[in-house]
Amino acid sequence: MVIEVREYDPAWPALAEAAAGELRAALPGVLLELEHIGSTSVPGLAAKPIIDLMASVPALDAVTAREDALLALGYRRLDTGMTGRLFYPRDDATGRRTHHLHVVTADTWDTRNERLLRDHLRAHPDAAGRYGALKRDLATRTDDSDAYTRAKTALVQELVDAARAHRGLPSVSVWE
């Protein structure tokens, strides 16, 4: 599988907002918070063209009870082995992955590494530049998605640690 890392596309925020609107309409009253996360949410950052969204809910079973609504939008649950999180990828008609929906409980929302990393990269263009350069380089050297992700870990951990320290939070592993 070729790992495609593209230069930032200014259409990504609008695609995220459209997907968020569909999710809010499909799950009225279920999602407490819903935000665009991941590299496509950081202006100027190179990224795989997959829109990542993260939602908070009072309890995960509020979403599992409504999975029919997610399935109707093309989201299907994938068991990742991560505790305290639901993960729903969405593919287009050709089978190309276009979206990820991460669902977490509201009590963990403020300390989620993905949100902290996004905010850190938005506030520190030099860090975003380092991250983008690493991703572009790795995409030319591997076609293994797991190897690509693992090769980013040291830098992601460094950046998340900086983001957490800035907010007075302890360091935690970026691997759940």
PDB file of all heavy atoms in Angstrom, residues 75-103:
ATOM      1  N   TYR A  75     -19.639   4.927   8.090  1.00  0.00           N
ATOM      2  CA  TYR A  75     -18.672   4.654   9.158  1.00  0.00           C
ATOM      3  C   TYR A  75     -18.934   3.256   9.719  1.00  0.00           C
ATOM      4  O   TYR A  75     -20.067   2.929  10.048  1.00  0.00           O
ATOM      5  CB  TYR A  75     -18.803   5.663  10.303  1.00  0.00           C
ATOM      6  CG  TYR A  75     -18.424   7.069   9.932  1.00  0.00           C
ATOM      7  CD1 TYR A  75     -19.379   7.971   9.469  1.00  0.00           C
ATOM      8  CD2 TYR A  75     -17.104   7.506  10.049  1.00  0.00           C
ATOM      9  CE1 TYR A  75     -19.034   9.274   9.139  1.00  0.00           C
ATOM     10  CE2 TYR A  75     -16.756   8.800   9.720  1.00  0.00           C
ATOM     11  CZ  TYR A  75     -17.723   9.683   9.262  1.00  0.00           C
ATOM     12  OH  TYR A  75     -17.375  10.971   8.930  1.00  0.00           O
ATOM     13  N   ARG A  76     -17.884   2.468   9.824  1.00  0.00           N
ATOM     14  CA  ARG A  76     -18.030   1.141  10.417  1.00  0.00           C
ATOM     15  C   ARG A  76     -17.008   1.008  11.536  1.00  0.00           C
ATOM     16  O   ARG A  76     -15.873   1.462  11.407  1.00  0.00           O
ATOM     17  CB  ARG A  76     -17.842   0.054   9.367  1.00  0.00           C
ATOM     18  CG  ARG A  76     -16.502   0.116   8.683  1.00  0.00           C
ATOM     19  CD  ARG A  76     -16.289  -0.992   7.682  1.00  0.00           C
ATOM     20  NE  ARG A  76     -15.142  -0.791   6.843  1.00  0.00           N
ATOM     21  CZ  ARG A  76     -13.890  -0.593   7.221  1.00  0.00           C
ATOM     22  NH1 ARG A  76     -13.593  -0.551   8.483  1.00  0.00           N
ATOM     23  NH2 ARG A  76     -12.910  -0.434   6.356  1.00  0.00           N
ATOM     24  N   ARG A  77     -17.417   0.401  12.620  1.00  0.00           N
ATOM     25  CA  ARG A  77     -16.511   0.281  13.773  1.00  0.00           C
ATOM     26  C   ARG A  77     -15.398  -0.708  13.477  1.00  0.00           C
ATOM     27  O   ARG A  77     -15.616  -1.766  12.915  1.00  0.00           O
ATOM     28  CB  ARG A  77     -17.248  -0.153  15.034  1.00  0.00           C
ATOM     29  CG  ARG A  77     -16.288  -0.165  16.214  1.00  0.00           C
ATOM     30  CD  ARG A  77     -16.882  -0.248  17.579  1.00  0.00           C
ATOM     31  NE  ARG A  77     -18.178  -0.797  17.724  1.00  0.00           N
ATOM     32  CZ  ARG A  77     -18.528  -1.590  18.724  1.00  0.00           C
ATOM     33  NH1 ARG A  77     -17.652  -1.960  19.629  1.00  0.00           N
ATOM     34  NH2 ARG A  77     -19.760  -2.018  18.825  1.00  0.00           N
ATOM     35  N   LEU A  78     -14.204  -0.333  13.877  1.00  0.00           N
ATOM     36  CA  LEU A  78     -13.034  -1.183  13.751  1.00  0.00           C
ATOM     37  C   LEU A  78     -12.438  -1.325  15.146  1.00  0.00           C
ATOM     38  O   LEU A  78     -12.179  -0.322  15.814  1.00  0.00           O
ATOM     39  CB  LEU A  78     -12.015  -0.540  12.806  1.00  0.00           C
ATOM     40  CG  LEU A  78     -10.734  -1.302  12.527  1.00  0.00           C
ATOM     41  CD1 LEU A  78     -11.038  -2.600  11.769  1.00  0.00           C
ATOM     42  CD2 LEU A  78      -9.791  -0.440  11.698  1.00  0.00           C
ATOM     43  N   ASP A  79     -12.251  -2.545  15.584  1.00  0.00           N
ATOM     44  CA  ASP A  79     -11.672  -2.781  16.904  1.00  0.00           C
ATOM     45  C   ASP A  79     -10.167  -2.584  16.812  1.00  0.00           C
ATOM     46  O   ASP A  79      -9.478  -3.319  16.112  1.00  0.00           O
ATOM     47  CB  ASP A  79     -12.001  -4.189  17.395  1.00  0.00           C
ATOM     48  CG  ASP A  79     -11.484  -4.448  18.793  1.00  0.00           C
ATOM     49  OD1 ASP A  79     -11.031  -3.494  19.470  1.00  0.00           O
ATOM     50  OD2 ASP A  79     -11.528  -5.609  19.222  1.00  0.00           O
ATOM     51  N   THR A  80      -9.662  -1.578  17.518  1.00  0.00           N
ATOM     52  CA  THR A  80      -8.233  -1.261  17.497  1.00  0.00           C
ATOM     53  C   THR A  80      -7.513  -1.774  18.732  1.00  0.00           C
ATOM     54  O   THR A  80      -6.294  -1.667  18.800  1.00  0.00           O
ATOM     55  CB  THR A  80      -8.022   0.257  17.418  1.00  0.00           C
ATOM     56  OG1 THR A  80      -8.592   0.851  18.594  1.00  0.00           O
ATOM     57  CG2 THR A  80      -8.644   0.837  16.158  1.00  0.00           C
ATOM     58  N   GLY A  81      -8.272  -2.271  19.698  1.00  0.00           N
ATOM     59  CA  GLY A  81      -7.664  -2.727  20.933  1.00  0.00           C
ATOM     60  C   GLY A  81      -7.408  -1.592  21.922  1.00  0.00           C
ATOM     61  O   GLY A  81      -6.912  -1.829  23.021  1.00  0.00           O
ATOM     62  N   MET A  82      -7.729  -0.351  21.537  1.00  0.00           N
ATOM     63  CA  MET A  82      -7.539   0.781  22.449  1.00  0.00           C
ATOM     64  C   MET A  82      -8.711   0.829  23.417  1.00  0.00           C
ATOM     65  O   MET A  82      -9.869   0.765  22.991  1.00  0.00           O
ATOM     66  CB  MET A  82      -7.439   2.095  21.678  1.00  0.00           C
ATOM     67  CG  MET A  82      -6.190   2.204  20.828  1.00  0.00           C
ATOM     68  SD  MET A  82      -6.013   3.814  20.024  1.00  0.00           S
ATOM     69  CE  MET A  82      -7.134   3.635  18.653  1.00  0.00           C
ATOM     70  N   THR A  83      -8.412   0.935  24.684  1.00  0.00           N
ATOM     71  CA  THR A  83      -9.478   1.011  25.678  1.00  0.00           C
ATOM     72  C   THR A  83      -9.986   2.450  25.784  1.00  0.00           C
ATOM     73  O   THR A  83      -9.241   3.404  25.556  1.00  0.00           O
ATOM     74  CB  THR A  83      -8.972   0.524  27.050  1.00  0.00           C
ATOM     75  OG1 THR A  83      -7.870   1.331  27.453  1.00  0.00           O
ATOM     76  CG2 THR A  83      -8.546  -0.926  27.001  1.00  0.00           C
ATOM     77  N   GLY A  84     -11.242   2.565  26.113  1.00  0.00           N
ATOM     78  CA  GLY A  84     -11.825   3.888  26.315  1.00  0.00           C
ATOM     79  C   GLY A  84     -11.991   4.692  25.042  1.00  0.00           C
ATOM     80  O   GLY A  84     -12.060   5.920  25.091  1.00  0.00           O
ATOM     81  N   ARG A  85     -12.058   4.020  23.896  1.00  0.00           N
ATOM     82  CA  ARG A  85     -12.180   4.712  22.621  1.00  0.00           C
ATOM     83  C   ARG A  85     -12.878   3.807  21.616  1.00  0.00           C
ATOM     84  O   ARG A  85     -12.668   2.608  21.598  1.00  0.00           O
ATOM     85  CB  ARG A  85     -10.792   5.057  22.084  1.00  0.00           C
ATOM     86  CG  ARG A  85     -10.793   5.653  20.690  1.00  0.00           C
ATOM     87  CD  ARG A  85      -9.406   5.658  20.078  1.00  0.00           C
ATOM     88  NE  ARG A  85      -8.463   6.414  20.848  1.00  0.00           N
ATOM     89  CZ  ARG A  85      -7.925   7.572  20.463  1.00  0.00           C
ATOM     90  NH1 ARG A  85      -8.235   8.087  19.301  1.00  0.00           N
ATOM     91  NH2 ARG A  85      -7.071   8.202  21.222  1.00  0.00           N
ATOM     92  N   LEU A  86     -13.702   4.428  20.785  1.00  0.00           N
ATOM     93  CA  LEU A  86     -14.285   3.745  19.636  1.00  0.00           C
ATOM     94  C   LEU A  86     -13.675   4.365  18.386  1.00  0.00           C
ATOM     95  O   LEU A  86     -13.410   5.574  18.349  1.00  0.00           O
ATOM     96  CB  LEU A  86     -15.806   3.918  19.608  1.00  0.00           C
ATOM     97  CG  LEU A  86     -16.566   3.353  20.808  1.00  0.00           C
ATOM     98  CD1 LEU A  86     -18.032   3.788  20.753  1.00  0.00           C
ATOM     99  CD2 LEU A  86     -16.447   1.842  20.859  1.00  0.00           C
ATOM    100  N   PHE A  87     -13.467   3.546  17.370  1.00  0.00           N
ATOM    101  CA  PHE A  87     -12.857   4.028  16.133  1.00  0.00           C
ATOM    102  C   PHE A  87     -13.696   3.573  14.950  1.00  0.00           C
ATOM    103  O   PHE A  87     -13.999   2.385  14.813  1.00  0.00           O
ATOM    104  CB  PHE A  87     -11.428   3.487  16.010  1.00  0.00           C
ATOM    105  CG  PHE A  87     -10.733   3.896  14.747  1.00  0.00           C
ATOM    106  CD1 PHE A  87     -10.392   5.214  14.520  1.00  0.00           C
ATOM    107  CD2 PHE A  87     -10.417   2.951  13.782  1.00  0.00           C
ATOM    108  CE1 PHE A  87      -9.744   5.596  13.348  1.00  0.00           C
ATOM    109  CE2 PHE A  87      -9.772   3.320  12.607  1.00  0.00           C
ATOM    110  CZ  PHE A  87      -9.433   4.648  12.396  1.00  0.00           C
ATOM    111  N   TYR A  88     -14.062   4.556  14.106  1.00  0.00           N
ATOM    112  CA  TYR A  88     -14.908   4.304  12.947  1.00  0.00           C
ATOM    113  C   TYR A  88     -14.263   4.897  11.693  1.00  0.00           C
ATOM    114  O   TYR A  88     -14.306   6.105  11.483  1.00  0.00           O
ATOM    115  CB  TYR A  88     -16.280   4.953  13.128  1.00  0.00           C
ATOM    116  CG  TYR A  88     -17.072   4.430  14.284  1.00  0.00           C
ATOM    117  CD1 TYR A  88     -16.939   4.978  15.555  1.00  0.00           C
ATOM    118  CD2 TYR A  88     -17.973   3.387  14.106  1.00  0.00           C
ATOM    119  CE1 TYR A  88     -17.677   4.495  16.616  1.00  0.00           C
ATOM    120  CE2 TYR A  88     -18.723   2.904  15.162  1.00  0.00           C
ATOM    121  CZ  TYR A  88     -18.566   3.462  16.420  1.00  0.00           C
ATOM    122  OH  TYR A  88     -19.304   2.978  17.473  1.00  0.00           O
ATOM    123  N   PRO A  89     -13.651   4.070  10.849  1.00  0.00           N
ATOM    124  CA  PRO A  89     -13.170   4.580   9.567  1.00  0.00           C
ATOM    125  C   PRO A  89     -14.318   4.668   8.560  1.00  0.00           C
ATOM    126  O   PRO A  89     -15.336   3.996   8.699  1.00  0.00           O
ATOM    127  CB  PRO A  89     -12.131   3.548   9.132  1.00  0.00           C
ATOM    128  CG  PRO A  89     -12.537   2.289   9.819  1.00  0.00           C
ATOM    129  CD  PRO A  89     -13.247   2.687  11.085  1.00  0.00           C
ATOM    130  N   ARG A  90     -14.121   5.496   7.551  1.00  0.00           N
ATOM    131  CA  ARG A  90     -15.088   5.655   6.470  1.00  0.00           C
ATOM    132  C   ARG A  90     -14.321   5.685   5.145  1.00  0.00           C
ATOM    133  O   ARG A  90     -13.342   6.414   5.022  1.00  0.00           O
ATOM    134  CB  ARG A  90     -15.867   6.954   6.659  1.00  0.00           C
ATOM    135  CG  ARG A  90     -16.856   7.274   5.565  1.00  0.00           C
ATOM    136  CD  ARG A  90     -17.647   8.504   5.970  1.00  0.00           C
ATOM    137  NE  ARG A  90     -18.078   9.268   4.827  1.00  0.00           N
ATOM    138  CZ  ARG A  90     -18.764  10.402   4.911  1.00  0.00           C
ATOM    139  NH1 ARG A  90     -19.068  10.909   6.093  1.00  0.00           N
ATOM    140  NH2 ARG A  90     -19.113  11.042   3.843  1.00  0.00           N
ATOM    141  N   ASP A  91     -14.770   4.904   4.199  1.00  0.00           N
ATOM    142  CA  ASP A  91     -14.150   4.841   2.879  1.00  0.00           C
ATOM    143  C   ASP A  91     -15.110   5.406   1.845  1.00  0.00           C
ATOM    144  O   ASP A  91     -16.332   5.420   2.048  1.00  0.00           O
ATOM    145  CB  ASP A  91     -13.822   3.392   2.504  1.00  0.00           C
ATOM    146  CG  ASP A  91     -12.840   2.733   3.464  1.00  0.00           C
ATOM    147  OD1 ASP A  91     -12.127   3.450   4.194  1.00  0.00           O
ATOM    148  OD2 ASP A  91     -12.807   1.491   3.497  1.00  0.00           O
ATOM    149  N   ASP A  92     -14.546   5.852   0.725  1.00  0.00           N
ATOM    150  CA  ASP A  92     -15.421   6.310  -0.360  1.00  0.00           C
ATOM    151  C   ASP A  92     -15.851   5.109  -1.207  1.00  0.00           C
ATOM    152  O   ASP A  92     -15.511   3.959  -0.889  1.00  0.00           O
ATOM    153  CB  ASP A  92     -14.748   7.412  -1.190  1.00  0.00           C
ATOM    154  CG  ASP A  92     -13.533   6.945  -1.979  1.00  0.00           C
ATOM    155  OD1 ASP A  92     -13.305   5.717  -2.107  1.00  0.00           O
ATOM    156  OD2 ASP A  92     -12.803   7.821  -2.490  1.00  0.00           O
ATOM    157  N   ALA A  93     -16.553   5.369  -2.277  1.00  0.00           N
ATOM    158  CA  ALA A  93     -17.101   4.287  -3.111  1.00  0.00           C
ATOM    159  C   ALA A  93     -16.018   3.430  -3.754  1.00  0.00           C
ATOM    160  O   ALA A  93     -16.268   2.281  -4.122  1.00  0.00           O
ATOM    161  CB  ALA A  93     -18.013   4.878  -4.189  1.00  0.00           C
ATOM    162  N   THR A  94     -14.808   3.963  -3.891  1.00  0.00           N
ATOM    163  CA  THR A  94     -13.711   3.209  -4.492  1.00  0.00           C
ATOM    164  C   THR A  94     -12.923   2.404  -3.455  1.00  0.00           C
ATOM    165  O   THR A  94     -11.988   1.695  -3.813  1.00  0.00           O
ATOM    166  CB  THR A  94     -12.728   4.135  -5.235  1.00  0.00           C
ATOM    167  OG1 THR A  94     -12.027   4.939  -4.276  1.00  0.00           O
ATOM    168  CG2 THR A  94     -13.450   5.014  -6.242  1.00  0.00           C
ATOM    169  N   GLY A  95     -13.301   2.560  -2.183  1.00  0.00           N
ATOM    170  CA  GLY A  95     -12.585   1.861  -1.122  1.00  0.00           C
ATOM    171  C   GLY A  95     -11.429   2.651  -0.535  1.00  0.00           C
ATOM    172  O   GLY A  95     -10.708   2.156   0.329  1.00  0.00           O
ATOM    173  N   ARG A  96     -11.256   3.886  -0.970  1.00  0.00           N
ATOM    174  CA  ARG A  96     -10.191   4.741  -0.437  1.00  0.00           C
ATOM    175  C   ARG A  96     -10.636   5.331   0.896  1.00  0.00           C
ATOM    176  O   ARG A  96     -11.743   5.849   1.010  1.00  0.00           O
ATOM    177  CB  ARG A  96      -9.862   5.866  -1.421  1.00  0.00           C
ATOM    178  CG  ARG A  96      -8.688   6.751  -0.977  1.00  0.00           C
ATOM    179  CD  ARG A  96      -8.402   7.851  -2.004  1.00  0.00           C
ATOM    180  NE  ARG A  96      -9.478   8.808  -2.101  1.00  0.00           N
ATOM    181  CZ  ARG A  96      -9.595   9.901  -1.328  1.00  0.00           C
ATOM    182  NH1 ARG A  96      -8.712  10.166  -0.402  1.00  0.00           N
ATOM    183  NH2 ARG A  96     -10.623  10.714  -1.500  1.00  0.00           N
ATOM    184  N   ARG A  97      -9.796   5.220   1.890  1.00  0.00           N
ATOM    185  CA  ARG A  97     -10.108   5.770   3.216  1.00  0.00           C
ATOM    186  C   ARG A  97     -10.178   7.284   3.146  1.00  0.00           C
ATOM    187  O   ARG A  97      -9.279   7.937   2.629  1.00  0.00           O
ATOM    188  CB  ARG A  97      -8.998   5.334   4.179  1.00  0.00           C
ATOM    189  CG  ARG A  97      -9.118   5.798   5.611  1.00  0.00           C
ATOM    190  CD  ARG A  97     -10.223   5.165   6.430  1.00  0.00           C
ATOM    191  NE  ARG A  97     -10.498   3.782   6.165  1.00  0.00           N
ATOM    192  CZ  ARG A  97      -9.958   2.736   6.795  1.00  0.00           C
ATOM    193  NH1 ARG A  97      -9.071   2.915   7.736  1.00  0.00           N
ATOM    194  NH2 ARG A  97     -10.313   1.499   6.490  1.00  0.00           N
ATOM    195  N   THR A  98     -11.271   7.855   3.654  1.00  0.00           N
ATOM    196  CA  THR A  98     -11.461   9.307   3.598  1.00  0.00           C
ATOM    197  C   THR A  98     -11.603   9.956   4.967  1.00  0.00           C
ATOM    198  O   THR A  98     -11.286  11.128   5.122  1.00  0.00           O
ATOM    199  CB  THR A  98     -12.709   9.662   2.766  1.00  0.00           C
ATOM    200  OG1 THR A  98     -13.863   9.066   3.379  1.00  0.00           O
ATOM    201  CG2 THR A  98     -12.566   9.188   1.323  1.00  0.00           C
ATOM    202  N   HIS A  99     -12.118   9.213   5.949  1.00  0.00           N
ATOM    203  CA  HIS A  99     -12.386   9.787   7.268  1.00  0.00           C
ATOM    204  C   HIS A  99     -12.074   8.781   8.372  1.00  0.00           C
ATOM    205  O   HIS A  99     -12.174   7.571   8.155  1.00  0.00           O
ATOM    206  CB  HIS A  99     -13.868  10.160   7.417  1.00  0.00           C
ATOM    207  CG  HIS A  99     -14.324  11.248   6.512  1.00  0.00           C
ATOM    208  ND1 HIS A  99     -14.535  11.046   5.163  1.00  0.00           N
ATOM    209  CD2 HIS A  99     -14.609  12.546   6.742  1.00  0.00           C
ATOM    210  CE1 HIS A  99     -14.950  12.184   4.612  1.00  0.00           C
ATOM    211  NE2 HIS A  99     -14.992  13.101   5.547  1.00  0.00           N
ATOM    212  N   HIS A 100     -11.774   9.324   9.524  1.00  0.00           N
ATOM    213  CA  HIS A 100     -11.689   8.553  10.772  1.00  0.00           C
ATOM    214  C   HIS A 100     -12.513   9.298  11.807  1.00  0.00           C
ATOM    215  O   HIS A 100     -12.380  10.512  11.945  1.00  0.00           O
ATOM    216  CB  HIS A 100     -10.250   8.484  11.308  1.00  0.00           C
ATOM    217  CG  HIS A 100      -9.318   7.684  10.486  1.00  0.00           C
ATOM    218  ND1 HIS A 100      -7.961   7.933  10.467  1.00  0.00           N
ATOM    219  CD2 HIS A 100      -9.507   6.626   9.656  1.00  0.00           C
ATOM    220  CE1 HIS A 100      -7.357   7.067   9.675  1.00  0.00           C
ATOM    221  NE2 HIS A 100      -8.284   6.272   9.165  1.00  0.00           N
ATOM    222  N   LEU A 101     -13.318   8.572  12.538  1.00  0.00           N
ATOM    223  CA  LEU A 101     -14.047   9.138  13.675  1.00  0.00           C
ATOM    224  C   LEU A 101     -13.558   8.431  14.932  1.00  0.00           C
ATOM    225  O   LEU A 101     -13.668   7.214  15.049  1.00  0.00           O
ATOM    226  CB  LEU A 101     -15.560   8.941  13.520  1.00  0.00           C
ATOM    227  CG  LEU A 101     -16.412   9.334  14.725  1.00  0.00           C
ATOM    228  CD1 LEU A 101     -16.278  10.819  15.041  1.00  0.00           C
ATOM    229  CD2 LEU A 101     -17.873   8.940  14.501  1.00  0.00           C
ATOM    230  N   HIS A 102     -12.996   9.205  15.840  1.00  0.00           N
ATOM    231  CA  HIS A 102     -12.539   8.704  17.136  1.00  0.00           C
ATOM    232  C   HIS A 102     -13.552   9.181  18.171  1.00  0.00           C
ATOM    233  O   HIS A 102     -13.848  10.378  18.231  1.00  0.00           O
ATOM    234  CB  HIS A 102     -11.171   9.292  17.493  1.00  0.00           C
ATOM    235  CG  HIS A 102     -10.134   9.110  16.426  1.00  0.00           C
ATOM    236  ND1 HIS A 102      -9.206   8.112  16.476  1.00  0.00           N
ATOM    237  CD2 HIS A 102      -9.892   9.803  15.277  1.00  0.00           C
ATOM    238  CE1 HIS A 102      -8.407   8.202  15.417  1.00  0.00           C
ATOM    239  NE2 HIS A 102      -8.822   9.217  14.667  1.00  0.00           N
ATOM    240  N   VAL A 103     -14.078   8.272  18.967  1.00  0.00           N
ATOM    241  CA  VAL A 103     -15.057   8.633  19.990  1.00  0.00           C
ATOM    242  C   VAL A 103     -14.462   8.296  21.349  1.00  0.00           C
ATOM    243  O   VAL A 103     -14.010   7.166  21.573  1.00  0.00           O
ATOM    244  CB  VAL A 103     -16.388   7.883  19.790  1.00  0.00           C
ATOM    245  CG1 VAL A 103     -17.398   8.293  20.849  1.00  0.00           C
ATOM    246  CG2 VAL A 103     -16.946   8.132  18.385  1.00  0.00           C
TER     247      VAL A 103
END
